[in-house]
């Protein structure tokens, strides 16, 4: 039944040679890898206004020069990540750049930040999408958390079906969103140019505003820069592109940058001219759409596609997180299970863990976007800063032809990214302080995992590990609970191994049971030695493990191995297992950590 449900939800397994068919073209890649960056225009401009409104609506004209600053940073990041794509065509983005040029720990800071950031990408995107839905339908506002969790589960299942299939489905909503915003911006600008917007709705650019300061402006700039999250995703996901992968990835990155610049500047411009102020349960985009179109089809079209893009922006995390995890797993900093491809040739373990972690975040923050965005943004600007700095070091060290313009681009990006990061810590410390706690913990865990794999390799490698000790004999211990076909099956198996000795062990709770069982055993299996152990505290495990330890100690003196053959019956139906005490599993669990004891389970399959 489980297998049938899995096939229904995920689809038929794909053969390994079909991997090439799972690569995506530029059109689909733009949809699934740019959805995070493009969707951020739905809340990035709003974040600027949330800061400026503390001074007053008269300060809203500052959103225009702040938007220009954000576009300059976007240009530097796009050009820089284009260089990263060609310099590191196998993917990995900020992690690989930082590790190769700045050292292991900066690489791990970038990699750890991005892993957490992709989890936040899913949580923020889905939460923001849920906000857009409940802005249009306020009665649903009390169910934000439940709606968000349902969307995460649906996205996880969709991505488990494979990159190609998810891209084919998700491309339509993304392009519909771009179309909706182009219509919104086009109609809005037409109204402004033709005088359809009252001049008193906005303060003229250049108006002196009391209370404004450089600190406030930098804070607004940092908040608005949250619209640039997701820019790095394409450089992480180069292996998902069709060949030539680097060229296709670079073209997709440029196109994403152009679209993001147009949409971001368009929303900021409309918000300024229409005098739109941030409100509690209604987003800025929703207010602009209602002002321009009223509550008609176009309003709901904009809101619907905005909600979809915000939710589907989470797919950027699903595309990039597993591939970043693969790079970290190859370097042995996270578990090897992240290297395993699932039935549909995607990295299923990464997808499932990303979905589960996102749900936990949504529950923890009650799907409230404004509490997640600062942590989300600072988590991506740390890798931005490190990757730009890493590229600076690369150009200074290698000095290839035409390296100076590249160095200037990366220096610009690094400086602005550093300023944004510092501003987040200065202005939103109470919301982002946790990154200073969990990043050192994550890096410590990375090093512990790496140490485990290195130690494991040293112990398993034939050229370095201790030579194997020859085995001169074998003693088999068979725990028995009665005279049954299960025990008979195990005794026969033990005899077939022709050991030096077979010892059957019976643990009794009552003295009378000991004598009765000994009499029955001697009649049934007189050639197999029986040892009965009395358990004062009605435990099978304690006396049995003590006996095994005693035998193992004596056997090791003569280079003998001790093998414990555990009888176990397998019920015909799986649910029957809950009707039995699973003693065989307990025995195996307790004995498994005995270094010189071999555990063998002999199953006896019931037919009825």
């Amino acid at each position: 039944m489980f297998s049938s449900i899995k096939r229904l939800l995920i689809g038929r397994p794909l053969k390994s040679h079909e991997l090439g068919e799972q690569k995506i073209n530029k059109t689909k890649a733009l949809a699934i890898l740019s959805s995070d960056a493009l969707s951020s225009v739905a809340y990035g401009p709003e974040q600027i206004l949330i800061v400026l409104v503390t001074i007053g609506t008269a300060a809203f004209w500052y959103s225009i020069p702040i938007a220009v600053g954000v576009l300059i940073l976007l240009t530097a990041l796009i050009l820089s990540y284009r260089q990263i794509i060609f310099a590191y065509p196998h993917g990995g983005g900020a992690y690989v750049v930082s590790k190769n040029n700045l050292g292991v720990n900066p690489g791990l800071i970038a990699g750890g930040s991005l892993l957490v950031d992709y989890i936040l990408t899913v949580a923020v995107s889905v939460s923001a999408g849920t906000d857009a839905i409940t802005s249009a339908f306020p009665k649903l506002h009390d169910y934000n958390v439940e709606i968000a969790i349902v969307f995460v589960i649906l996205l996880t299942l969709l991505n488990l079906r494979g990159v190609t299939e998810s891209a084919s489905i998700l491309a339509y909503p993304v392009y519909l969103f771009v179309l909706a915003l182009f219509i919104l911006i086009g109609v809005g600008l037409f109204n402004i140019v033709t005088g359809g917007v009252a001049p008193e709705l906005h303060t003229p650019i250049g108006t002196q505003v009391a209370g404004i300061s450089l600190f406030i402006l930098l804070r607004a700039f940092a908040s608005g820069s949250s619209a640039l999250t997701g820019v790095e995703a394409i450089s992480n996901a180069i292996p998902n592109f069709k060949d030539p992968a680097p060229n296709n990835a670079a073209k997709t990155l440029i196109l994403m940058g152009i679209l993001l610049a147009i949409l971001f500047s368009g929303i900021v411009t409309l918000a300024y001219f229409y005098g739109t102020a941030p409100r509690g349960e209604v987003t800025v985009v929703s207010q602009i759409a209602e002002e321009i179109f009223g509550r008609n089809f176009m309003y709901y079209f904009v809101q619907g596609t905005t909600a979809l893009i915000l939710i589907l922006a989470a797919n950027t995390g699903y595309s990039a997180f597993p591939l970043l995890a693969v790079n970290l797993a190859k370097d042995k900093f996270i578990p090897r299970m992240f290297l395993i491809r699932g039935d549909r040739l995607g990295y299923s373990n990464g997808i499932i863990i990303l979905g589960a972690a996102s749900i936990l975040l949504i529950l923890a923050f009650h799907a409230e976007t404004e509490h997640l965005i600062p942590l989300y943004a600072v988590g991506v600007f740390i890798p931005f800063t490190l990757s730009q700095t890493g590229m600076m070091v690369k150009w200074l060290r290698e000095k290839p032809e035409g390296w100076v313009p590249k160095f200037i681009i990366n220096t610009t990006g690094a400086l602005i990214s550093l300023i944004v990061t510092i501003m987040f810590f200065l202005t939103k410390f109470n919301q982002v302080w946790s990154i200073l706690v969990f990043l050192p913990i994550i890096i410590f865990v990375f090093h512990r995992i790496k140490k485990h794999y290195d130690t494991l390799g040293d112990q398993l490698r034939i050229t370095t590990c201790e030579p194997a000790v020859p085995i001169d004999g074998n003693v088999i211990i068979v725990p028995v609970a009665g005279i049954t076909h299960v025990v008979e099956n195990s005794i026969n198996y033990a005899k077939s191994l022709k050991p030096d000795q077979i010892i059957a062990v019976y643990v009794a709770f009552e003295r009378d049971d000991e004598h009765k069982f000994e009499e029955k055993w001697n009649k049934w299996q007189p050639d197999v030695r029986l040892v009965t152990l009395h358990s004062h505290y009605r435990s099978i495990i304690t006396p049995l493990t003590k006996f095994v330890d005693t035998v193992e100690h004596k056997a090791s003196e003569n280079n003998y191995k001790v093998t414990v053959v555990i009888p176990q019956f397998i019920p015909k139906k799986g649910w029957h297992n809950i009707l039995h005490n699973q003693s065989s599993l307990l025995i195996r669990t307790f004995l498994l950590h005995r270094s010189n004891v071999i555990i063998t389970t002999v199953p006896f399959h019931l037919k009825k």
Side-chain angles (χ1 to χ4, degrees):
M1 185 178 70
F2 173 77
S3 181
S4 299
I5 293 172
K6 184 180 178 183
R7 291 288 78 76
L8 176 67
L9 294 175
I10 298 173
R12 68 171 182 84
L14 298 175
K15 295 179 180 178
S16 297
H17 68 78
E18 296 179 86
L19 180 60
E21 299 171 16
Q22 293 297 300
K23 304 289 185 180
I24 51 178
N25 58 30
K26 296 189 290 293
T27 306
K28 291 181 178 178
L30 181 64
I32 67 168
L33 293 172
S34 304
S35 54
D36 179 24
L38 295 177
S39 71
S40 59
V41 302
Y43 55 80
E46 186 166 0
Q47 294 300 307
I48 296 174
L49 298 178
I50 287 172
V51 176
L52 294 178
V53 80
T54 58
I55 302 299
T57 55
F60 281 3
W61 74 265
Y62 283 101
S63 63
I64 302 298
I66 288 169
V68 172
V70 172
L71 293 178
I72 292 170
L73 175 57
L74 171 64
T75 304
L77 289 173
I78 292 293
L79 293 175
S80 177
Y81 273 103
R82 185 178 181 276
Q83 293 170 185
I84 289 172
I85 286 170
F86 288 111
Y88 299 93
H90 299 295
Y95 164 66
V96 173
V97 174
S98 304
K99 188 191 71 167
N100 289 355
N101 297 293
L102 302 177
V104 173
N105 284 327
L108 292 180
I109 291 171
S113 295
L114 281 174
L115 281 182
V116 174
D117 191 67
Y118 288 134
I119 296 170
L120 287 164
T121 296
V122 178
V124 167
S125 301
V126 171
S127 298
T130 306
D131 283 345
I133 291 172
T134 55
S135 289
F137 304 99
K139 290 182 180 179
L140 295 175
H141 197 267
D142 292 337
Y143 303 98
N144 269 19
V145 173
E146 291 81 359
I147 294 170
I149 290 173
V150 168
F151 281 128
V152 171
I153 293 170
L154 290 174
L155 282 170
T156 303
L157 290 172
L158 185 60
N159 279 275
L160 288 173
R161 294 185 68 89
V163 175
T164 302
E165 194 159 338
S166 62
S168 300
I169 295 171
L170 301 180
Y172 297 105
V174 174
Y175 288 120
L176 283 174
F177 167 75
V178 173
L179 174 64
L181 255 62
F182 268 113
I183 294 171
L184 176 70
I185 292 168
V187 175
L189 290 177
F190 177 79
N191 292 343
I192 293 166
V193 171
T194 56
V197 179
E200 58 269 17
L201 289 176
H202 59 272
T203 307
I205 293 175
T207 303
Q208 294 294 318
V209 180
I212 201 74
S213 66
L214 179 62
F215 182 80
I216 292 289
L217 294 175
L218 286 173
R219 182 181 171 188
F221 171 70
S223 296
S225 297
S226 62
L228 306 185
T229 53
V231 168
E232 81 298 333
I234 291 174
S235 67
N236 282 324
I238 300 171
N240 278 343
F241 284 83
K242 286 185 175 180
D243 291 329
N247 290 337
N248 288 331
K251 290 175 183 176
T252 306
L253 180 68
I254 295 295
L255 187 54
M256 179 192 71
I258 293 169
L259 283 175
L260 179 56
I262 293 171
L263 297 180
F264 179 80
S265 54
I267 295 298
V268 169
T269 303
L270 293 184
Y272 163 66
F273 278 101
Y274 279 87
T276 308
R279 283 179 15 213
E281 295 182 2
V282 184
T283 62
V284 164
V285 172
S286 175
Q287 292 180 62
I288 294 172
E290 187 171 6
E291 186 70 30
I292 292 173
F293 299 118
R295 287 260 174 173
N296 60 11
F297 167 77
M298 276 308 301
Y299 167 78
Y300 287 105
F301 179 59
V302 170
Q303 278 301 94
T305 54
T306 301
L308 277 174
I309 187 72
L310 286 168
I311 292 166
L312 299 182
N315 212 67
T316 299
Y318 282 102
S319 301
F321 179 95
L323 292 172
L324 175 59
V326 165
N327 280 289
L328 283 161
K330 282 179 180 176
D331 294 335
K332 303 177 184 177
F333 288 112
I334 61 175
R336 306 281 292 180
M337 68 176 184
F338 287 100
L339 294 173
I340 300 170
R341 290 187 182 271
D343 286 356
R344 303 287 293 179
L345 297 176
Y347 295 104
S348 302
N349 290 328
I351 292 168
I352 292 168
I353 287 172
L354 174 61
S358 303
I359 288 173
L360 290 176
L361 262 183
I362 289 169
L363 288 170
F365 286 88
H366 304 290
E368 294 179 359
T369 313
E370 65 273 14
H371 296 309
L372 290 167
I373 287 176
L375 190 62
Y376 168 49
V378 76
V380 79
F381 271 95
I382 289 173
F384 278 172
T385 307
L386 289 171
S387 62
Q388 308 302 308
T389 308
M391 291 302 290
M392 288 168 59
V393 172
K394 177 181 173 67
W395 302 135
L396 284 173
R397 186 174 62 240
E398 298 176 5
K399 294 184 178 177
E401 187 177 349
W403 68 276
V404 175
K406 296 177 180 179
F407 178 78
I408 292 171
I409 290 169
N410 291 131
T411 304
T412 304
L415 286 173
I416 301 175
S417 297
L418 180 62
I419 290 169
V420 173
T421 306
I422 293 170
M423 286 309 302
F424 268 113
F425 279 111
L426 289 177
T427 61
K428 297 181 184 290
F429 185 77
N430 62 324
Q431 291 173 282
V432 302
W433 63 267
S434 57
I435 201 167
L436 299 176
V437 176
F438 68 70
L439 257 185
I441 293 172
I442 289 172
I443 290 161
F444 173 75
V445 171
F446 283 163
H447 281 295
R448 294 295 297 175
I449 292 172
K450 170 75 169 171
K451 183 179 180 182
H452 165 77
Y453 281 126
D454 289 343
T455 305
L456 177 70
D458 288 340
Q459 293 177 80
L460 297 181
R461 202 173 293 114
I462 293 175
T463 54
T464 58
C465 66
E466 298 176 2
V469 178
I471 300 172
D472 295 331
N474 191 13
V475 176
I476 292 181
I477 297 173
V478 184
V480 298
I483 296 173
T484 63
H485 281 306
V486 186
V487 173
E488 183 180 38
N489 190 43
S490 300
I491 293 292
N492 290 338
Y493 172 77
K495 288 179 179 178
S496 72
L497 299 177
K498 296 181 173 55
D500 296 272
Q501 187 178 11
I502 299 175
I503 305 172
V505 180
Y506 176 72
V507 179
F509 298 158
E510 302 292 341
R511 293 294 183 186
D512 292 343
D513 292 342
E514 285 186 61
H515 303 307
K516 289 177 182 177
F517 189 80
E518 286 173 354
E519 290 175 6
K520 290 179 181 179
W521 185 270
N522 291 330
K523 292 177 182 178
W524 183 54
Q525 294 282 355
D527 56 332
V528 176
R529 178 187 169 193
L530 175 70
V531 173
T532 57
L533 305 173
H534 182 72
S535 176
H536 297 281
Y537 297 101
R538 300 157 304 285
S539 167
I540 296 173
I541 302 299
T542 304
L544 178 62
T545 51
K546 285 182 178 179
F547 178 78
V548 170
D549 289 342
T550 302
V551 174
E552 187 274 324
H553 178 71
K554 293 182 179 179
S556 62
E557 294 175 355
N558 301 310
N559 285 338
Y560 276 43
K561 279 289 183 185
V562 173
T563 301
V564 179
V565 172
I566 303 174
Q568 181 175 358
F569 66 83
I570 310 298
K572 187 172 177 64
K573 295 182 184 294
W575 68 269
H576 290 171
N577 283 300
I578 64 174
L579 305 176
H580 306 284
N581 57 19
Q582 306 299 326
S583 299
S584 58
L585 293 174
L586 285 171
I587 293 170
R588 183 162 68 243
T589 301
F590 275 87
L591 294 178
L592 206 55
H593 296 285
R594 300 300 196 275
S595 57
N596 293 315
V597 176
I598 299 166
I599 314 297
T600 300
T601 300
V602 181
F604 182 84
H605 293 269
L606 302 178
K607 296 177 181 178
K608 298 180 183 179

